[in-house]
């Protein structure tokens, strides 16, 4: 919904280069950048932000490729991992009547979207995400699950869901530590642009 990053935002990708990103092994990110967008470069693997985050507001735009002969998880698959742990699915799920836990906007294999807010392939779409990381006690046990609210193209698709734990393929194991934003290489040439995060304080004051 918010297209322009506010002054408090950490701009992660402004269309120019991947200097804020690495491959999972820490080497410089090698996905293709052209015309103000980055494209998943099949076989190169996932990329992650150099900076790590705990609670945040995220804005991101994506476009799925036109793959008319592909179906299901093979159709425009990518994903946005929050804190390196929780995948918001990216997929071409345009027109699906009853989106499932693997469809676009799902918390992968945990929560299907409330509604199908998908645009067709080759159209830019937005995710606006409010994320609250899990809270742990002194022994490291989770006291409060991570929570996420997601708007896709301005429509609420996830309403403060309590995540059940890391989704499949998570790379960051510590629920309370800051983690990177991670974009998935699932072999399909999904594009991304205009990615920024506003880190959020972990709590407000105790003052009335
Ligand atoms: Mg995926």
């Amino acid at each position: 919904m918010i297209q322009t990053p506010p002054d408090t935002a950490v701009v992660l990708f402004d269309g120019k280069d991947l200097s804020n990103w690495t491959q999972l092994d820490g080497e410089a990110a090698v996905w293709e950048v052209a015309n103000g967008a980055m494209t998943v470069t099949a076989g190169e693997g996932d990329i992650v932000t150099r900076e790590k985050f705990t609670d945040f507001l995220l804005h991101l735009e994506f476009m799925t490729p036109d793959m008319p002969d592909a179906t299901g998880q093979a159709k425009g698959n990518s994903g946005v991992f929050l804190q390196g742990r929780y995948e918001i699915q990216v997929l071409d799920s345009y027109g699906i009547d009853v989106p499932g836990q693997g469809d676009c906007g799902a918390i992968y294999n945990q929560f299907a979207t409330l509604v199908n807010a998908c645009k067709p392939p080759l159209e830019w779409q937005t995710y606006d995400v409010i994320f609250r990381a899990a809270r742990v006690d002194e022994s490291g046990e989770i006291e409060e699950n991570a929570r996420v609210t997601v708007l896709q193209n301005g429509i609420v698709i996830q309403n403060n869901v309590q995540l059940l734990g890391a989704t499949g393929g998570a790379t960051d194991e510590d629920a309370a530590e800051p983690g990177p934003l991670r974009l998935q290489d699932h072999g399909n040439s999904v594009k991304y642009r205009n990615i920024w995060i506003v880190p959020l304080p972990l709590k407000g004051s105790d003052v009335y």
Side-chain angles (χ1 to χ4, degrees):
M1 288 199 303
I2 312 162
Q3 307 288 337
T4 307
D7 292 343
T8 50
V10 177
V11 176
L12 296 169
F13 179 65
D14 64 1
K16 296 191 180 81
D17 61 58
L18 294 177
S19 55
N20 296 323
W21 300 77
T22 71
Q23 302 296 133
L24 290 182
D25 63 6
E27 296 292 318
V30 296
W31 289 8
E32 178 191 332
V33 176
N35 304 315
M38 66 167 90
T39 303
V40 176
T41 306
E44 296 291 0
D46 297 5
I47 63 172
V48 291
T49 56
R50 294 182 187 275
E51 190 163 343
K52 296 183 177 185
F53 305 94
T54 306
D55 296 357
F56 55 80
L57 165 69
L58 162 69
H59 175 87
L60 168 150
E61 300 175 20
F62 67 93
M63 179 195 287
T64 57
D66 190 24
M67 303 179 69
D69 297 329
T71 59
Q73 295 295 306
K75 191 168 186 167
N77 196 333
S78 181
V80 178
F81 282 81
L82 312 176
Q83 202 190 6
R85 294 171 51 78
Y86 313 103
E87 182 185 1
I88 303 174
Q89 176 69 305
V90 170
L91 195 72
D92 177 4
S93 300
Y94 178 66
I96 290 178
D97 285 337
V98 182
Q101 293 178 354
D103 278 308
C104 195
I107 308 303
Y108 189 73
N109 211 18
Q110 293 190 16
F111 296 97
T113 59
L114 298 173
V115 295
N116 189 338
C118 294
K119 293 182 178 180
L122 303 182
E123 288 192 24
W124 283 106
Q125 308 192 51
T126 60
Y127 276 158
D128 290 279
V129 178
I130 300 170
F131 176 71
R132 185 179 190 271
R135 299 301 196 254
V136 302
D137 64 19
E138 289 173 359
S139 65
E141 291 295 308
I142 291 178
E143 288 183 314
E144 299 175 66
N145 292 325
R147 297 181 200 167
V148 65
T149 293
V150 182
L151 286 74
Q152 182 181 3
N153 304 320
I155 296 167
V156 176
I157 58 168
Q158 300 287 354
N159 182 8
N160 194 30
V161 292
Q162 294 199 40
L163 305 180
L164 308 177
T167 58
T171 41
D172 192 310
E173 294 306 316
D174 195 326
E177 290 299 309
L181 192 70
R182 174 176 155 208
L183 302 178
Q184 184 183 53
D185 171 11
H186 204 282
N188 300 151
S189 51
V190 172
K191 294 182 186 296
Y192 292 96
R193 71 177 184 188
N194 194 16
I195 305 174
W196 49 263
I197 272 179
V198 177
L200 298 175
L202 299 189
K203 70 187 287 281
S205 83
D206 296 322
V207 175
Y208 176 71

